[in-house]
Amino acid sequence: MNARPVLVHTHGIGAIDYSSMTPDQLGIANGLAEKGGFDVVPGIFLGREHLSAVTDLMCAWHENRASLPAVLGFSVEGPLLGRTGGVPPRGIWSPTAQEWERIAVMGRYGLRYIVMGPDMGELDDELDDGLTYRDVIDLCYVNGVKIALGHFQHHAPELSAERTRAVIAHVQDRYGPGPDVLLTDHLYNDMPRNFRHVWRTAEERARRAEQIAPVLAADWETADLDRLLGPVPATLLRAAREGSLLPFLNFDGDHVDLEICRRTLEHLGPERLIGITDDIAVPFLAGEELHHREGSGLWYRSDGIVAAGSGELATQRRNLRSLTADPSVFDHVFGRNARRGLSPVRVPAVAGVGGAGYGGRGRD
């Protein structure tokens, strides 16, 4: 297996914003990744008006992939996401059945996974023209696109957890068993929680010791994690331990407090986590201008919401070394596990999905 690290949740490289990347920039991105000693899976916030351009980008990659070895494919965030959190406005919309088909078919040309809010409805809720949420999931998998659970709604945590369990059960029943068939987006970020997971300002950090103490004092093996952490993070952690999904976690110290990362790493083990950077180098993302705040490596939108990070792979490596004495952990979470998450899924024939109406077939 290739030993190079993989950035599976990243929004840009050099001067490139992946959400606005053009085919002529593929070679530049590949060269920068090779120079940095890693592989990339560019993450794109998908807007309706950019659907054709993103399709063209992936087709160009597919046609030239032999000359782009450091670009392993693509990921998409949206359009089925909760509105709380750092999603650009263009990343949330309601596709028609035909648009869902166009999105899913990108799997034939390089789309590896799509981030979806698993709590946006019941599995049998109709989204458009007879197409249900369950159908959309199956349509993605038939075309080789995995689901990554993320960007949850915040108003009803118990309901969000219940719907998440339903999605996990459906994917495992049809495409499992095993953790590699289902991913998450960034663990703890953009989901309802019962605890504070990060302290970013001086005022917040003054309360850190008091607020983090109950979370670190609890024995996560025996504690009621639904009560301690919240129903959604508890559901994801249980599913990871049961071998039903592979969660993403950012170790930059800005997205999630490093002591929370340490406890999560201890609870799950390095074989059950994928590390991410969620980074971009330029002060814009998917049509929005970004800015830094003093003392923070995060990029903020004009409304004060975190949009992305700027901590590169070296930051992740350094922080992981501070959390564990085992030097193999970095290779697990940024190498082996990431490549497992990108592995193809063998799918069964799905009645009513992926046929003449929805164009399903295996990725070539």
Side-chain angles (χ1 to χ4, degrees):
M1 179 179 287
N2 192 321
R4 291 206 305 190
V6 184
L7 304 189
V8 296
H9 182 127
T10 177
H11 291 294
I13 191 168
I16 299 172
D17 166 14
Y18 289 142
S19 292
S20 304
M21 186 162 61
T22 56
D24 61 292
Q25 293 176 313
L26 284 167
I28 299 172
N30 182 82
L32 290 171
E34 289 193 319
K35 183 178 180 180
F38 52 81
D39 295 334
V40 296
V41 180
I44 298 169
F45 283 108
L46 182 62
R48 170 176 267 149
E49 69 276 18
H50 298 278
L51 189 53
S52 293
V54 172
T55 301
D56 291 343
L57 175 68
M58 293 189 191
C59 288
W61 173 84
H62 186 267
E63 293 171 1
N64 298 282
R65 55 186 171 174
S67 62
L68 301 165
V71 180
L72 304 184
F74 302 85
S75 70
V76 158
E77 290 190 60
L80 198 63
L81 303 173
R83 294 186 178 275
T84 302
V87 182
R90 86 182 202 189
I92 302 175
W93 48 286
S94 300
T96 64
Q98 290 73 28
E99 286 169 331
W100 274 122
E101 178 186 355
R102 292 179 63 190
I103 293 169
V105 168
M106 290 180 188
R108 307 178 193 177
Y109 306 105
L111 181 59
R112 303 308 188 204
Y113 70 86
I114 180 171
V115 179
M116 285 189 188
D119 56 350
M120 300 302 291
E122 304 294 338
L123 282 174
D124 293 322
D125 284 351
E126 182 177 333
L127 300 182
D128 181 66
D129 194 24
L131 190 74
T132 66
Y133 189 11
R134 186 191 309 272
D135 292 333
V136 166
I137 293 172
D138 290 336
L139 185 60
C140 287
Y141 277 88
V142 163
N143 283 281
V145 182
K146 296 181 183 180
I147 304 300
L149 312 177
H151 290 279
F152 295 79
Q153 300 188 84
H154 287 225
H155 68 282
E158 291 282 0
L159 179 60
S160 291
E162 178 183 335
R163 289 175 170 175
T164 298
R165 289 190 291 271
V167 172
I168 294 170
H170 174 70
V171 171
Q172 282 299 325
D173 178 64
R174 185 155 280 178
Y175 309 107
D180 302 356
V181 299
L182 184 63
L183 310 172
T184 77
D185 202 26
H186 29 50
L187 194 57
Y188 306 127
N189 299 113
D190 290 331
M191 64 180 64
R193 302 170 304 274
N194 286 354
F195 72 107
R196 191 167 193 113
H197 66 304
V198 69
W199 293 261
R200 291 169 176 153
T201 67
E203 182 180 359
E204 291 171 353
R205 286 191 286 271
R207 301 192 299 271
R208 176 184 178 276
E210 175 187 359
Q211 293 175 340
I212 200 174
V215 180
L216 299 183
D219 179 356
W220 285 24
E221 299 293 325
T222 59
D224 181 351
L225 294 185
D226 288 75
R227 184 174 181 179
L228 180 69
L229 306 180
V232 170
T235 292
L236 298 177
L237 290 176
R238 277 194 296 269
R241 281 175 64 103
E242 291 166 359
S244 296
L245 54 75
L246 271 174
F248 292 175
L249 183 61
N250 197 320
F251 293 91
D252 66 0
D254 290 320
H255 280 82
V256 180
D257 187 275
L258 288 178
E259 288 305 314
I260 302 294
C261 290
R262 185 197 304 273
R263 181 54 61 89
T264 304
L265 185 61
E266 293 170 348
H267 184 65
L268 294 184
E271 71 279 2
R272 297 192 184 103
L273 279 168
I274 294 176
I276 63 170
T277 55
D278 196 6
D279 65 319
I280 190 168
V282 292
F284 50 85
L285 172 61
E288 290 192 305
E289 294 186 3
L290 309 177
H291 65 276
H292 283 305
R293 290 180 177 176
E294 185 177 354
S296 173
L298 295 170
W299 288 109
Y300 287 84
R301 305 188 325 193
S302 60
D303 58 6
I305 294 176
V306 173
S310 59
E312 298 180 346
L313 199 57
T315 301
Q316 307 278 338
R317 189 190 299 271
R318 182 176 64 251
N319 287 342
L320 272 169
R321 284 175 177 167
S322 76
L323 300 181
T324 174
D326 185 351
S328 71
V329 170
F330 178 86
D331 295 331
H332 267 101
V333 300
F334 278 97
R336 299 185 188 97
N337 299 350
R339 293 182 188 279
R340 284 169 49 202
L342 298 173
S343 61
V345 176
R346 295 188 179 277
V347 299
V350 181
V353 175
Y358 296 110
R361 64 175 176 83
R363 185 172 59 221
D364 56 15

